[in-house]
Amino acid sequence: MTNLVRKEGLMSEERRKLLVGGAAAAVGMATSAGAWAAGSDKPEKEEVRIGFIPLTDCASVVMAAALGFDKKYGIKIIPTKEASWAGVRDKLVNGELDMAHVLYGLIYGVHLGVSGAKKDMAVLMTLNNNGQAITLSKKLADKGAVDGASLAKLMATDKREYTFAQTFPTGTHAMWLYYWMAAHGINPMKDAKVITVPPPQMVANMRVGNMDGYCVGEPWNHRAIMDGIGITATTTQDIWKDHPEKVLGTTGDFVKKYPNTARAVIMAVMEAGRWIDAGLQNKLKMADTIADKAYVNTSVDAINQRILGRYQNGLGKTWDDPNHMKFFNDGQATFPYLSDGMWFLTQHKRWGLLKEHPDYLGVARQINQIDLYKEAAAQLKVSVPKDAMRSSKLMDGVVWDGKEPAKYADSFKVKA
């Protein structure tokens, strides 16, 4: 089925040439093999299968292949459409996929054995910041639940079982959903039923009444508004501005065996992210490309508004959000901060996914391939932050800076 979808949706050679031509003009790209494609730095494995889920934030992986950035670094990226995050996990672990556009917390969960088979994993780079959302059903909105506070009020007065969906138990969407609910006094483990639904199936499940709300990546929040079945209660950038989202993930074994290949992929994908962020026309071209049924399989207008920061909530409110999805942001969005990975571990502990405190910093250092990233960034002349930790203030005013992670994890009143 996947192969069929891939074949059906492959771009015509003319369209591909047009895109590549546009990209070359946009970034002055030389399509000859790059610095890493010769001598001892030659990629050990030239064909790289990268799994992705149909979401807007798969764009830098898809565009790296569609625009030919991969060729520049002596590799061929084969984007492979997958049905669920559990499927991505299994194929990464068993080697069917070389890498994936994947949930940050999924990689950490597998590494620690709390989301399936335990295997050493690696984060090569962050793919994007921001750009996810929490959708509440139109039925809830009609009863007055349009944000966290009004949802808590409705759940306290109109007693029944409320069901919310996330995309993977240790993933980003589960953590955004839980953090947001808990900040409004709702314990997701006790006051609601939480289910796991693959991203492309969210809208259909809400349509038939399987859930009251969900947290997912775009375009599946905007799609719910277009289809008249849901409203946006909050964006994830309002939970944590410039939060880490998807990563380019692989196994520890892959990095050991194919370091040059890993570096080449980082460079191709980072260059694609830089191209996307470079301007309006590039973003629109990206939306047009990934809307194709080989990739996200939706209408272009479901994708192109929110990547430009043009938001509506489905209740008549519209706004321009400067903290929309970023794929590069001068290298800020792509750097794999150790503190970002550690944050997911603190939330895994908070919600009972981890029974004991792990070695937060030690685990992050094992997983996040900062040295490899720095080598790739140096080649692309992309600036790298001085510190592998960063400080952020989340929606409840609590600051996360990577210091004292065990104390931070234990500090929350609402927990499992």
Side-chain angles (χ1 to χ4, degrees), residues 67 82 108 136 162 208 227 233 244 317 354 400-401 407 413:
L67 297 170
E82 302 300 330
Y108 272 68
L136 296 179
Y162 287 81
V208 297
D227 293 359
K317 182 188 169 192
L354 287 169
W400 166 246
D401 58 11
K407 187 177 168 188
K413 286 194 188 77

Side-chain angles (χ1 to χ4, degrees), residues 287-324:
D288 186 50
T289 304
I290 68 166
D292 193 273
K293 70 177 162 202
Y295 305 121
V296 180
N297 191 23
T298 192
S299 57
V300 176
D301 57 348
I303 297 173
N304 64 16
Q305 293 305 298
R306 288 192 171 185
I307 58 158
L308 300 172
R310 294 173 190 157
Y311 276 76
Q312 52 174 287
N313 70 348
L315 296 163
K317 182 188 169 192
T318 61
W319 71 99
D320 285 331
D321 192 332
N323 305 312
H324 55 78

